Amino acid sequence: MIPTQFITSYRAAFGKNALLPIAFGFSDTPRTKIKHGIRCIVGAYKMVLDGIDHLDSWDGIEALIFFAAPDIISGLAAWAFYDRNEPDTVTVKFGSGCASTIAFAVAENHLPDGYRCFLGMTDLSARYFAPSGLLAFTIPSCRLPKMLETLPHTALFNGKAWERLKARH
């Protein structure tokens, strides 16, 4: 599923008003022409953050970061758990805002069988910079292909409980 197809499926599942996730990766050059993205220098590499609506492919990304309200976070967690029954499939780890949204995902991608997604932006000092009512949910690139494959089969498309929650947004 390419980014444009994902956007269509994501909006069908979460509603047209759901914020699109941000993709991040490391590169010597931007992946796309960045209109609204942010570039910052991290060591010898440039970290590139960009809205997925500016991507042509998933190549070179480390993760998707969703900033979302609790109902959407619940839907993202249900999606992550669809094909995994491990209790740490969605993990909340202590760390800074950057660690919980970026560093943990990068580390997960380096594991031979990484599968965890991360709930983030729980650091009290970072919360001030995040909108009230939104947390972060990060899907590392090691997990993304399987999750893109399972998305249409989840309760986000076939569940009455989700339809009630989705109607609130």
Side-chain angles (χ1 to χ4, degrees):
M1 181 183 303
I2 62 173
T4 53
Q5 293 168 322
F6 172 74
I7 291 169
T8 301
S9 293
Y10 183 75
R11 289 200 164 133
F14 290 94
K16 64 181 180 178
N17 295 324
L19 296 173
L20 291 176
I22 297 168
F24 84 87
F26 300 101
S27 176
D28 290 331
T29 57
R31 292 182 306 280
T32 61
K33 291 181 181 178
I34 298 176
K35 296 178 185 174
H36 306 290
I38 301 166
R39 293 184 207 150
C40 45
I41 303 299
V42 178
Y45 299 96
K46 293 176 185 163
M47 183 171 69
V48 180
L49 298 147
D50 206 0
I52 64 167
D53 53 338
H54 296 114
L55 299 180
D56 297 323
S57 74
W58 302 115
D59 294 343
I61 72 160
E62 287 283 334
L64 293 182
I65 304 168
F66 299 77
F67 289 96
D71 287 350
I72 302 255
I73 295 285
S74 296
L76 292 166
W79 176 24
F81 280 111
Y82 177 78
D83 68 318
R84 301 221 48 118
N85 201 24
E86 291 80 0
D88 64 345
T89 296
V90 176
T91 301
V92 180
K93 292 175 65 171
F94 178 76
S96 68
C98 291
S100 66
T101 56
I102 295 172
F104 296 153
V106 171
E108 193 73 11
N109 287 333
H110 287 90
L111 296 175
D113 55 352
Y115 63 87
R116 295 178 300 171
C117 295
F118 300 93
L119 184 62
M121 291 305 295
T122 60
D123 174 15
L124 298 179
S125 62
R127 286 293 315 148
Y128 179 78
F129 300 101
S132 176
L134 298 185
L135 291 172
F137 188 95
T138 303
I139 302 173
S141 62
C142 63
R143 183 77 171 105
L144 187 59
K146 184 63 175 178
M147 287 185 66
L148 291 173
E149 179 185 319
T150 63
L151 179 59
H153 309 291
T154 66
L156 301 172
F157 290 95
N158 305 308
K160 291 182 182 182
W162 177 248
E163 287 301 317
R164 286 192 304 261
L165 287 177
K166 182 179 165 185
R168 299 193 315 187
H169 299 276

